[in-house]
Amino acid sequence: MGISSATAANNGEIIGATSGTGGQQLKELQFVSSTLQPTPLNNDKPQMGTNASVISPLTEFFNSQVFNVTGVTASTTVVTVTANNTLAVNDLIALSGVAANATNNCSAADIAVINGGMQTVVSATATNFTFDATIPSATTGAGCTVAGATATGGPDYLFVGVVQNPSEIYTFLLPSSLLVGQGVAPTSVATNTTDVAGGTSGMIVDNDSTAGQASSIYFGTLATSTVICGTTAAYCAVKLTQAGLQ
């Protein structure tokens, strides 16, 4: 996303973190007409921890997957997509390959919106999902042509580590730009504690899977340790493995 729109929700943003005696805070800074806004959204929320702490560099993990689309219909305000999927409400999704179908009143103008970029999932089941959009003309019957069409997207996570004796690793679900524009803060979806000397370095997030050893987080210690790193005090790399980034 760019930063030139006069509407903040249409632009990208910068997310940072600060620490003080009351804990740590995420700060979302938006752009309006290419100008960085000085006041963060959401009153510096969410809050992490209760004490001052070293904060690891923030790591974003957009868990994007591709789903085959078998149907697309639309009212003038809602697009319904038929596809076997694992999406959830507020996931980000983009459609491609959907085509016009004059017989079912699916026009080229409709397609420009439907294939028009990132959308926010409003409802989802295992076989279909919806998103809100302003559609020029409602479709009829089976809707648009979907041969070869796909939907790509999923949840957008932010990982951060702090020192809270023991260290804590937080996972936040980032809202879409539209929800950010409405003042919606990132939602904490998991908090895990682990014995990491001095806290965590920047993290590498590898995959989201329920298979053994297939969903891992890698980082380094910020202090030497004989407990974690061996009989000789040293810095070391740490690998944490779980199922489905839980």
Side-chain angles (χ1 to χ4, degrees):
M1 301 180 72
I3 62 173
S4 61
S5 174
T7 302
N10 294 334
N11 294 325
E13 63 175 359
I14 295 174
I15 299 178
T18 61
S19 180
T21 55
Q24 298 76 49
Q25 296 173 334
L26 294 182
K27 295 182 180 291
E28 298 175 80
L29 300 173
Q30 290 188 303
F31 289 89
V32 175
S33 300
S34 301
T35 300
L36 181 65
Q37 303 303 293
T39 303
L41 293 172
N42 307 314
N43 297 318
D44 303 331
K45 295 293 187 297
Q47 177 87 19
M48 302 174 288
T50 56
N51 300 304
S53 168
V54 172
I55 305 174
S56 71
L58 307 182
T59 300
E60 185 178 10
F61 178 75
F62 182 32
N63 186 23
S64 179
Q65 301 179 64
V66 179
F67 309 105
N68 294 321
V69 173
T70 56
V72 172
T73 59
S75 69
T76 55
T77 57
V78 176
V79 176
T80 301
V81 180
T82 303
N84 293 331
N85 70 90
T86 57
L87 297 170
V89 173
N90 291 336
D91 282 357
L92 303 179
I93 196 75
L95 268 64
S96 62
V98 182
N101 187 325
T103 301
N104 297 327
N105 202 42
C106 180
S107 67
D110 294 342
I111 294 303
V113 177
I114 292 170
N115 288 338
M118 281 290 184
Q119 308 287 350
T120 301
V121 174
V122 172
S123 66
T125 70
T127 57
N128 64 70
F129 62 89
T130 67
F131 59 85
D132 292 339
T134 302
I135 303 298
S137 57
T139 64
T140 59
C144 306
T145 298
V146 295
T150 58
T152 304
D156 193 6
Y157 295 110
L158 186 72
F159 289 79
V160 60
V162 300
V163 180
Q164 289 289 327
N165 297 316
S167 296
E168 293 183 348
I169 298 174
Y170 293 87
T171 310
F172 292 93
L173 184 62
L174 297 178
S176 69
S177 58
L178 177 62
L179 294 175
V180 168
Q182 297 170 353
V184 176
T187 302
S188 179
V189 293
T191 301
N192 290 298
T193 59
T194 184
D195 189 7
V196 180
T200 69
S201 68
M203 302 178 198
I204 296 174
V205 181
D206 180 22
N207 205 2
D208 179 1
S209 172
T210 57
Q213 298 293 313
S215 183
S216 301
I217 301 173
Y218 302 85
F219 52 84
T221 63
L222 299 184
T224 61
S225 171
T226 57
V227 176
I228 304 170
C229 303
T231 55
T232 301
Y235 298 95
C236 62
V238 178
K239 172 186 176 182
L240 300 180
T241 299
Q242 69 218 304
L245 294 179
Q246 299 302 309

Short mmCIF file of all heavy atoms in Angstrom, two decimals, residues 14-56:
data_model
loop_
_atom_site.label_atom_id
_atom_site.label_comp_id
_atom_site.label_asym_id
_atom_site.label_seq_id
_atom_site.Cartn_x
_atom_site.Cartn_y
_atom_site.Cartn_z
N ILE A 14 2.98 2.59 9.94
CA ILE A 14 4.18 2.16 10.66
C ILE A 14 3.76 1.71 12.05
O ILE A 14 3.04 2.44 12.75
CB ILE A 14 5.22 3.29 10.75
CG1 ILE A 14 5.74 3.65 9.35
CG2 ILE A 14 6.38 2.88 11.66
CD1 ILE A 14 6.67 4.85 9.35
N ILE A 15 4.19 0.52 12.47
CA ILE A 15 3.91 0.03 13.82
C ILE A 15 5.23 -0.07 14.59
O ILE A 15 6.17 -0.73 14.14
CB ILE A 15 3.22 -1.34 13.81
CG1 ILE A 15 1.88 -1.25 13.07
CG2 ILE A 15 2.99 -1.85 15.23
CD1 ILE A 15 1.15 -2.57 12.98
N GLY A 16 5.30 0.61 15.72
CA GLY A 16 6.47 0.55 16.58
C GLY A 16 6.08 0.13 17.98
O GLY A 16 4.90 -0.12 18.26
N ALA A 17 7.05 0.05 18.87
CA ALA A 17 6.78 -0.34 20.26
C ALA A 17 7.67 0.48 21.18
O ALA A 17 8.81 0.81 20.84
CB ALA A 17 7.02 -1.83 20.46
N THR A 18 7.14 0.82 22.35
CA THR A 18 7.90 1.54 23.36
C THR A 18 7.76 0.82 24.70
O THR A 18 6.85 0.02 24.90
CB THR A 18 7.39 2.98 23.52
OG1 THR A 18 6.01 2.95 23.93
CG2 THR A 18 7.49 3.75 22.21
N SER A 19 8.67 1.12 25.62
CA SER A 19 8.65 0.48 26.93
C SER A 19 8.87 1.52 28.02
O SER A 19 9.64 2.46 27.86
CB SER A 19 9.74 -0.60 27.01
OG SER A 19 9.71 -1.23 28.28
N GLY A 20 8.17 1.33 29.14
CA GLY A 20 8.33 2.20 30.30
C GLY A 20 8.02 1.43 31.57
O GLY A 20 7.87 0.20 31.55
N THR A 21 7.91 2.12 32.68
CA THR A 21 7.69 1.44 33.96
C THR A 21 6.35 0.72 34.01
O THR A 21 6.17 -0.21 34.79
CB THR A 21 7.75 2.46 35.11
OG1 THR A 21 6.81 3.52 34.87
CG2 THR A 21 9.16 3.06 35.21
N GLY A 22 5.39 1.13 33.17
CA GLY A 22 4.08 0.49 33.19
C GLY A 22 3.92 -0.64 32.21
O GLY A 22 2.85 -1.24 32.11
N GLY A 23 4.97 -0.97 31.48
CA GLY A 23 4.89 -2.05 30.51
C GLY A 23 5.24 -1.55 29.12
O GLY A 23 5.88 -0.51 28.95
N GLN A 24 4.82 -2.29 28.11
CA GLN A 24 5.14 -1.96 26.73
C GLN A 24 3.85 -1.66 25.95
O GLN A 24 2.79 -2.20 26.25
CB GLN A 24 5.88 -3.12 26.04
CG GLN A 24 7.22 -3.45 26.69
CD GLN A 24 7.06 -4.22 27.99
OE1 GLN A 24 6.33 -5.20 28.04
NE2 GLN A 24 7.72 -3.77 29.04
N GLN A 25 3.99 -0.80 24.95
CA GLN A 25 2.83 -0.43 24.15
C GLN A 25 3.19 -0.49 22.67
O GLN A 25 4.30 -0.14 22.27
CB GLN A 25 2.37 1.00 24.49
CG GLN A 25 1.87 1.16 25.92
CD GLN A 25 1.59 2.62 26.25
OE1 GLN A 25 2.17 3.51 25.66
NE2 GLN A 25 0.69 2.83 27.19
N LEU A 26 2.22 -0.95 21.86
CA LEU A 26 2.34 -0.84 20.42
C LEU A 26 1.83 0.53 19.99
O LEU A 26 0.83 1.01 20.51
CB LEU A 26 1.53 -1.93 19.71
CG LEU A 26 1.99 -3.37 19.90
CD1 LEU A 26 1.10 -4.31 19.09
CD2 LEU A 26 3.45 -3.55 19.49
N LYS A 27 2.50 1.13 19.00
CA LYS A 27 2.09 2.44 18.51
C LYS A 27 1.89 2.35 17.00
O LYS A 27 2.82 2.03 16.26
CB LYS A 27 3.13 3.50 18.86
CG LYS A 27 3.28 3.74 20.36
CD LYS A 27 4.28 4.83 20.65
CE LYS A 27 4.44 5.07 22.15
NZ LYS A 27 3.25 5.68 22.76
N GLU A 28 0.65 2.61 16.57
CA GLU A 28 0.31 2.60 15.15
C GLU A 28 0.30 4.04 14.62
O GLU A 28 -0.49 4.86 15.05
CB GLU A 28 -1.06 1.97 14.94
CG GLU A 28 -1.16 0.52 15.38
CD GLU A 28 -2.58 0.02 15.25
OE1 GLU A 28 -2.99 -0.34 14.14
OE2 GLU A 28 -3.28 0.00 16.27
N LEU A 29 1.18 4.32 13.67
CA LEU A 29 1.28 5.66 13.10
C LEU A 29 0.84 5.61 11.65
O LEU A 29 1.35 4.82 10.86
CB LEU A 29 2.72 6.17 13.21
CG LEU A 29 3.27 6.28 14.64
CD1 LEU A 29 4.74 6.64 14.62
CD2 LEU A 29 2.49 7.33 15.43
N GLN A 30 -0.10 6.47 11.29
CA GLN A 30 -0.67 6.47 9.95
C GLN A 30 -0.16 7.63 9.11
O GLN A 30 0.46 8.57 9.61
CB GLN A 30 -2.20 6.55 10.04
CG GLN A 30 -2.85 5.30 10.58
CD GLN A 30 -4.36 5.38 10.45
OE1 GLN A 30 -4.99 6.31 10.96
NE2 GLN A 30 -4.95 4.42 9.76
N PHE A 31 -0.43 7.52 7.80
CA PHE A 31 -0.10 8.58 6.85
C PHE A 31 -1.37 9.19 6.28
O PHE A 31 -2.34 8.49 6.03
CB PHE A 31 0.73 8.03 5.69
CG PHE A 31 2.13 7.63 6.06
CD1 PHE A 31 2.40 6.35 6.50
CD2 PHE A 31 3.17 8.55 5.96
CE1 PHE A 31 3.69 5.98 6.84
CE2 PHE A 31 4.47 8.18 6.30
CZ PHE A 31 4.73 6.90 6.74
N VAL A 32 -1.36 10.49 6.09
CA VAL A 32 -2.42 11.20 5.38
C VAL A 32 -1.76 12.11 4.35
O VAL A 32 -0.94 12.97 4.71
CB VAL A 32 -3.30 12.03 6.34
CG1 VAL A 32 -4.31 12.85 5.55
CG2 VAL A 32 -4.01 11.12 7.33
N SER A 33 -2.06 11.88 3.07
CA SER A 33 -1.46 12.68 1.98
C SER A 33 0.06 12.72 2.09
O SER A 33 0.69 13.78 1.99
CB SER A 33 -2.05 14.10 1.98
OG SER A 33 -3.45 14.07 1.80
N SER A 34 0.64 11.54 2.32
CA SER A 34 2.10 11.34 2.40
C SER A 34 2.75 11.95 3.64
O SER A 34 3.98 11.95 3.75
CB SER A 34 2.81 11.88 1.14
OG SER A 34 2.32 11.24 -0.02
N THR A 35 1.94 12.44 4.58
CA THR A 35 2.48 13.03 5.80
C THR A 35 2.25 12.10 6.97
O THR A 35 1.11 11.67 7.23
CB THR A 35 1.82 14.39 6.08
OG1 THR A 35 2.05 15.27 4.99
CG2 THR A 35 2.38 15.01 7.36
N LEU A 36 3.32 11.75 7.69
CA LEU A 36 3.20 10.89 8.86
C LEU A 36 2.50 11.63 9.98
O LEU A 36 2.91 12.74 10.36
CB LEU A 36 4.59 10.43 9.31
CG LEU A 36 4.64 9.49 10.52
CD1 LEU A 36 3.99 8.15 10.18
CD2 LEU A 36 6.10 9.27 10.96
N GLN A 37 1.45 11.02 10.52
CA GLN A 37 0.69 11.65 11.60
C GLN A 37 1.40 11.44 12.94
O GLN A 37 1.84 10.33 13.26
CB GLN A 37 -0.72 11.07 11.66
CG GLN A 37 -1.49 11.22 10.35
CD GLN A 37 -1.59 12.67 9.91
OE1 GLN A 37 -2.24 13.49 10.55
NE2 GLN A 37 -0.92 13.01 8.80
N PRO A 38 1.56 12.49 13.76
CA PRO A 38 2.37 12.39 14.98
C PRO A 38 1.70 11.64 16.13
O PRO A 38 2.38 11.18 17.04
CB PRO A 38 2.60 13.85 15.35
CG PRO A 38 1.40 14.57 14.80
CD PRO A 38 1.07 13.86 13.52
N THR A 39 0.37 11.53 16.11
CA THR A 39 -0.33 10.91 17.23
C THR A 39 -0.72 9.48 16.88
O THR A 39 -1.41 9.24 15.90
CB THR A 39 -1.61 11.70 17.58
OG1 THR A 39 -1.25 13.06 17.87
CG2 THR A 39 -2.31 11.08 18.78
N PRO A 40 -0.29 8.49 17.68
CA PRO A 40 -0.64 7.10 17.39
C PRO A 40 -2.12 6.82 17.63
O PRO A 40 -2.77 7.50 18.44
CB PRO A 40 0.23 6.29 18.36
CG PRO A 40 0.50 7.24 19.49
CD PRO A 40 0.56 8.60 18.88
N LEU A 41 -2.64 5.84 16.92
CA LEU A 41 -4.04 5.44 17.09
C LEU A 41 -4.24 4.68 18.38
O LEU A 41 -3.29 4.18 18.99
CB LEU A 41 -4.46 4.55 15.92
CG LEU A 41 -4.54 5.19 14.54
CD1 LEU A 41 -4.78 4.11 13.51
CD2 LEU A 41 -5.65 6.21 14.51
N ASN A 42 -5.48 4.56 18.79
CA ASN A 42 -5.91 3.61 19.83
C ASN A 42 -5.32 3.88 21.21
O ASN A 42 -5.24 2.99 22.04
CB ASN A 42 -5.57 2.18 19.42
CG ASN A 42 -6.11 1.84 18.05
OD1 ASN A 42 -7.26 2.12 17.75
ND2 ASN A 42 -5.28 1.27 17.20
N ASN A 43 -4.86 5.13 21.44
CA ASN A 43 -4.32 5.47 22.77
C ASN A 43 -3.20 4.54 23.21
O ASN A 43 -3.13 4.09 24.35
CB ASN A 43 -5.45 5.46 23.82
CG ASN A 43 -6.51 6.51 23.52
OD1 ASN A 43 -6.18 7.63 23.16
ND2 ASN A 43 -7.77 6.12 23.65
N ASP A 44 -2.30 4.24 22.28
CA ASP A 44 -1.13 3.41 22.59
C ASP A 44 -1.53 2.03 23.10
O ASP A 44 -0.97 1.53 24.08
CB ASP A 44 -0.22 4.09 23.62
CG ASP A 44 0.25 5.46 23.15
OD1 ASP A 44 0.37 5.63 21.93
OD2 ASP A 44 0.50 6.32 24.00
N LYS A 45 -2.47 1.40 22.45
CA LYS A 45 -2.91 0.06 22.84
C LYS A 45 -2.56 -0.90 21.72
O LYS A 45 -2.46 -0.52 20.56
CB LYS A 45 -4.41 0.06 23.09
CG LYS A 45 -4.85 0.90 24.28
CD LYS A 45 -4.36 0.33 25.60
CE LYS A 45 -4.95 1.08 26.78
NZ LYS A 45 -4.59 2.47 26.88
N PRO A 46 -2.40 -2.19 22.01
CA PRO A 46 -2.59 -2.81 23.32
C PRO A 46 -1.35 -2.70 24.21
O PRO A 46 -0.26 -2.41 23.74
CB PRO A 46 -2.85 -4.27 22.96
CG PRO A 46 -2.09 -4.46 21.70
CD PRO A 46 -2.18 -3.17 20.95
N GLN A 47 -1.56 -2.93 25.50
CA GLN A 47 -0.50 -2.89 26.50
C GLN A 47 0.05 -4.30 26.70
O GLN A 47 -0.69 -5.27 26.74
CB GLN A 47 -1.05 -2.37 27.83
CG GLN A 47 -0.06 -2.35 28.98
CD GLN A 47 0.75 -1.07 29.02
OE1 GLN A 47 0.35 -0.07 28.42
NE2 GLN A 47 1.86 -1.09 29.71
N MET A 48 1.38 -4.41 26.82
CA MET A 48 2.02 -5.70 27.07
C MET A 48 2.80 -5.61 28.38
O MET A 48 3.52 -4.64 28.62
CB MET A 48 2.99 -6.05 25.94
CG MET A 48 2.37 -6.11 24.56
SD MET A 48 3.63 -6.36 23.27
CE MET A 48 4.44 -4.77 23.26
N GLY A 49 2.68 -6.65 29.22
CA GLY A 49 3.50 -6.71 30.42
C GLY A 49 3.16 -5.64 31.44
O GLY A 49 2.21 -4.87 31.29
N THR A 50 3.98 -5.57 32.49
CA THR A 50 3.73 -4.62 33.57
C THR A 50 4.98 -3.85 33.98
O THR A 50 4.90 -2.94 34.80
CB THR A 50 3.18 -5.36 34.81
OG1 THR A 50 4.10 -6.40 35.18
CG2 THR A 50 1.82 -5.96 34.52
N ASN A 51 6.15 -4.19 33.44
CA ASN A 51 7.39 -3.55 33.84
C ASN A 51 8.18 -3.11 32.62
O ASN A 51 7.93 -3.55 31.50
CB ASN A 51 8.25 -4.52 34.67
CG ASN A 51 7.55 -4.98 35.92
OD1 ASN A 51 7.14 -4.17 36.74
ND2 ASN A 51 7.41 -6.30 36.09
N ALA A 52 9.15 -2.24 32.84
CA ALA A 52 10.04 -1.83 31.76
C ALA A 52 10.81 -3.04 31.24
O ALA A 52 11.14 -3.96 32.00
CB ALA A 52 11.00 -0.76 32.25
N SER A 53 11.08 -3.09 29.95
CA SER A 53 11.69 -4.27 29.36
C SER A 53 12.37 -3.95 28.05
O SER A 53 11.95 -3.04 27.32
CB SER A 53 10.63 -5.35 29.12
OG SER A 53 11.13 -6.40 28.32
N VAL A 54 13.41 -4.72 27.74
CA VAL A 54 13.93 -4.74 26.38
C VAL A 54 12.83 -5.32 25.47
O VAL A 54 12.13 -6.24 25.85
CB VAL A 54 15.19 -5.64 26.30
CG1 VAL A 54 15.64 -5.84 24.85
CG2 VAL A 54 16.31 -5.04 27.13
N ILE A 55 12.67 -4.75 24.28
CA ILE A 55 11.67 -5.22 23.32
C ILE A 55 12.39 -5.74 22.08
O ILE A 55 13.26 -5.06 21.54
CB ILE A 55 10.70 -4.10 22.91
CG1 ILE A 55 10.04 -3.48 24.14
CG2 ILE A 55 9.66 -4.61 21.94
CD1 ILE A 55 9.18 -2.27 23.80
N SER A 56 12.03 -6.91 21.64
CA SER A 56 12.64 -7.44 20.42
C SER A 56 12.13 -6.66 19.21
O SER A 56 11.04 -6.08 19.25
CB SER A 56 12.29 -8.92 20.25
OG SER A 56 10.92 -9.07 19.91
#
